Amino acid sequence: MVSLRSLENASTPPSSSMTTTSHSLTVSRRSLEDASTPPSSSMKYSFYQVWLIMTISTCYIIFGMNIGWPNTIYLHLAVDNTTLFDTHLNLSPSQLDWIGSSSTIGGAVMVIPAGWIVGKLGRRRGIIICAFLHTLGWLPIALAINYYMIILGRLLTGASMAMTVVCTRTYIAELASNNIRGIMTTSLDLMRGFGYISVVALGMGTTWYYISFICTAGIFIYTIVALLVFPESPTYLIIQGKKEEAREIIVRLRGTRTGIEKELKELEFLNQREDGRRGWRALLSEDNLKSLFTLIGLCITVGLSGISVIMGATTRLLKTTIPSLDASLTTLIAMVALLCGSLILFILVDRIGRRWCLRISLSVMTVAYTVLGTLSYLEPSSFQVNVLPSVANASDVIYNTEESNTGSAFLSLKSMIMVSCFITIAVCMTTCLSVPFMLTGEYFPSIVRSQVLSICIAVSTLISSLLLQLYSIMESTITISGVYWCYAVMSLVSLVYLSLFIRETNQRSVG
């Protein structure tokens, strides 16, 4: 962190200190505080800044649709397995696992090059490249005539998703003022929540391949807007030595108030290294490596808490856990809960801080997973009713009315509790998805921010693809109750890790 004294010395020319008059020495305390406070501390931020960041965040709608899309194809294939060209898709459970996990595999492959691209070509160009790649990824899915075309499209969209996370989170962390940085970063999760709801709602009225066409058109329009509207990050321009261009963009973002020069000097100070190293080489310093390994540990523990499975295989989990419910409607409810979680995080992230938001979410998830596992394990064998497709002589069937009614009541209560646990986990999941990457963007200076973010995303996507690929195996070996208990244990481990090793970054300058 940069001390107030060092910033004042850096922003005051030596000649001015020699010619200071006695009148300037008697400046009031209030005027001194105003002069030393960067423009980002004011609540009167520019409307242009907020509008720009919300526009950048809209790409996360397609991001959310991509993550929730496997739920849609799972529901459709259960009713009609034809494609746009009337070919048939007969997919096994392992192939469904691959459809869910292939997107994260593509992200894991692309995320390291994405960090280099964002650091080398800039944030704006990186967003344009990943939007174009996303368009190419949705086309083979929409036009798929077999399983392999879907896998190809999922790999490409996953690669684009990883690059989108690196670009947008780095970009927004550098555009937003300190006092609204958390809220503006959370706007990504709001848009992603809209994407979850949109893909499930569209899936109730149209087919999976038409949804793919909608995503293709949406991301193509976003690419055009990015070309015409988005400016480059002023922090990136400072690193490239383009100070005048950075000044112009800061004026557009913060307004014409005083303090622009001070913010420019602070950006230069926070993003320089005495040895001149940048990018991956600058990451080798002791302090950066220590912070990097700390955040990797957080990404691993949070990722193992099962959030990728709950999000990408919601319908399959619900059909296994509560087969009596309408899976499509319950999936839609879970996606609405994700959006509600984004709204809650949007309100609280700059009020109570990143650590407290994540601490509360992990605590609640631990309890909810435990309850889900326990209820799944306690099958009401004495009240179980088997429904046969046909009975030869219905008059010969004897019903125990008391047991059947009691069993129905138990199943109804059990289902309500389990759905409530799903909703609770969905609400808390948004924090687990957002806060680790938010901390990654705030722990490091811009010279290594995109590289570090790419490493953490690579770790998270590998964990996600592993859990999605192992879901069917875990369910068949340790049953669905064991799956929930494993996720509960990892949520608790992540909570302990957070309390011991993660520091707060709320309201502090990035880097």
Side-chain angles (χ1 to χ4, degrees):
M1 297 300 296
V2 182
S3 65
L4 177 62
R5 183 181 298 275
S6 62
L7 282 177
E8 289 174 348
N9 292 336
S11 61
T12 304
S15 59
S16 63
S17 63
M18 298 297 295
T19 59
T20 304
T21 63
S22 59
H23 176 71
S24 63
L25 291 175
T26 59
V27 67
S28 65
R29 179 179 180 181
R30 181 179 183 86
S31 62
L32 179 59
E33 289 175 349
D34 291 340
S36 60
T37 303
S40 59
S41 63
S42 173
M43 292 301 294
K44 297 180 181 179
Y45 49 84
S46 170
F47 172 78
Y48 171 75
Q49 179 185 163
V50 179
W51 172 84
L52 177 63
I53 292 174
M54 295 301 291
T55 305
I56 295 168
S57 303
T58 54
C59 66
Y60 262 57
I61 296 177
I62 308 298
F63 189 157
M65 294 180 73
N66 186 59
I67 296 176
W69 183 85
N71 295 305
T72 302
I73 193 172
Y74 175 76
L75 287 172
H76 290 170
L77 292 180
V79 179
D80 183 5
N81 66 349
T82 57
T83 67
L84 178 64
F85 300 100
D86 292 329
T87 59
H88 295 275
L89 292 175
N90 298 306
L91 304 182
S92 65
S94 63
Q95 288 177 322
L96 289 173
D97 288 340
W98 274 106
I99 287 178
S101 62
S102 57
S103 183
T104 56
I105 293 173
V109 172
M110 182 61 185
V111 72
I112 299 299
W116 179 86
I117 292 172
V118 175
K120 190 73 175 178
L121 302 181
R123 288 49 164 153
R124 176 180 175 272
R125 292 176 183 172
I127 286 180
I128 294 170
I129 292 172
C130 67
F132 179 73
L133 184 62
H134 216 143
T135 305
L136 293 180
W138 278 109
L139 279 176
I141 297 176
L143 302 173
I145 59 174
N146 55 43
Y147 163 73
Y148 299 102
M149 290 183 68
I150 295 177
I151 293 297
L152 173 62
R154 294 286 292 168
L155 288 171
L156 290 174
T157 55
S160 174
M161 281 169 49
M163 190 169 178
T164 299
V165 175
V166 176
C167 292
T168 53
R169 292 195 177 275
T170 303
Y171 197 21
I172 292 176
E174 295 172 355
L175 290 180
S177 302
N178 291 344
N179 60 319
I180 61 166
R181 189 177 62 245
I183 292 177
M184 290 294 96
T185 305
T186 311
S187 66
L188 296 171
D189 303 290
L190 285 174
M191 297 299 178
R192 184 174 57 199
F194 283 120
Y196 296 148
I197 296 174
S198 299
V199 73
V200 177
L202 287 171
M204 298 174 72
T206 186
T207 59
W208 54 269
Y209 43 84
Y210 284 131
I211 294 175
S212 302
F213 280 119
I214 293 173
C215 292
T216 303
I219 200 65
F220 179 75
I221 295 172
Y222 179 85
T223 307
I224 297 175
V225 173
L227 281 168
L228 299 176
V229 175
F230 295 171
E232 186 51 83
S233 162
T235 307
Y236 172 77
L237 292 173
I238 286 290
I239 295 173
Q240 299 299 315
K242 301 177 181 179
K243 188 173 181 180
E244 292 303 319
E245 294 182 31
R247 179 185 287 108
E248 293 177 3
I249 294 175
I250 290 177
V251 170
R252 289 162 60 188
L253 292 171
R254 313 288 189 252
T256 56
R257 302 173 330 200
T258 58
I260 299 299
E261 293 299 323
K262 195 171 189 64
E263 182 168 354
L264 285 170
K265 291 183 180 296
E266 182 179 358
L267 287 175
E268 289 179 317
F269 188 88
L270 289 174
N271 293 286
Q272 67 181 353
R273 283 187 60 85
E274 294 179 359
D275 55 11
R277 290 186 297 175
R278 293 181 179 180
W280 295 106
R281 293 181 60 199
L283 189 57
L284 298 178
S285 66
E286 181 179 354
D287 52 346
N288 282 338
L289 285 176
K290 181 179 179 180
S291 297
L292 174 62
F293 287 124
T294 301
L295 290 175
I296 287 176
L298 181 65
C299 291
I300 292 174
T301 54
V302 170
L304 290 173
S305 64
I307 54 179
S308 60
V309 177
I310 297 293
M311 184 169 51
T314 308
T315 303
R316 298 178 66 189
L317 275 171
L318 288 170
K319 291 291 288 184
T320 303
T321 309
I322 321 171
S324 60
L325 296 181
D326 184 346
S328 60
L329 179 60
T330 313
T331 301
L332 181 60
I333 293 173
M335 296 307 170
V336 172
L338 278 169
L339 179 60
C340 293
S342 300
L343 289 170
I344 294 172
L345 181 63
F346 185 85
I347 295 170
L348 296 180
V349 67
D350 280 333
R351 294 178 180 270
I352 66 176
R354 285 68 160 141
R355 291 179 79 246
W356 267 110
C357 287
L358 193 53
R359 183 179 289 140
I360 294 171
S361 297
L362 289 170
S363 301
V364 174
M365 285 172 60
T366 301
V367 176
Y369 276 135
T370 304
V371 172
L372 275 174
T374 303
L375 291 179
S376 300
Y377 179 76
L378 297 175
E379 289 293 336
S381 55
S382 58
F383 301 131
Q384 189 169 358
V385 179
N386 294 322
V387 181
L388 300 178
S390 63
V391 180
N393 189 351
S395 61
D396 295 335
V397 181
I398 300 175
Y399 296 95
N400 187 326
T401 306
E402 181 178 355
E403 287 188 358
S404 297
N405 292 338
T406 308
S408 299
F410 180 87
L411 289 173
S412 177
L413 177 61
K414 173 187 173 184
S415 298
M416 289 176 60
I417 295 175
M418 297 181 83
V419 170
S420 300
C421 289
F422 260 105
I423 293 173
T424 302
I425 293 171
V427 170
C428 296
M429 250 180 8
T430 302
T431 301
C432 297
L433 287 167
S434 177
V435 170
F437 297 139
M438 189 184 301
L439 292 172
T440 303
E442 295 173 343
Y443 261 48
F444 298 90
S446 292
I447 52 175
V448 295
R449 185 175 295 128
S450 60
Q451 289 82 1
V452 169
L453 189 55
S454 66
I455 293 174
C456 291
I457 294 171
V459 172
S460 296
T461 51
L462 285 173
I463 295 297
S464 298
S465 61
L466 176 65
L467 288 184
L468 287 167
Q469 196 61 39
L470 291 177
Y471 168 69
S472 297
I473 299 175
M474 292 178 65
E475 182 188 346
S476 61
T477 53
I478 62 176
T479 72
I480 192 66
S481 58
V483 172
Y484 289 132
W485 284 334
C486 286
Y487 295 161
V489 170
M490 289 313 305
S491 297
L492 182 61
V493 170
S494 182
L495 176 63
V496 173
Y497 185 90
L498 169 72
S499 302
L500 293 177
F501 300 109
I502 303 300
R503 69 176 186 269
E504 184 58 77
T505 59
N506 187 28
Q507 303 291 342
R508 300 177 184 177
S509 297
V510 293

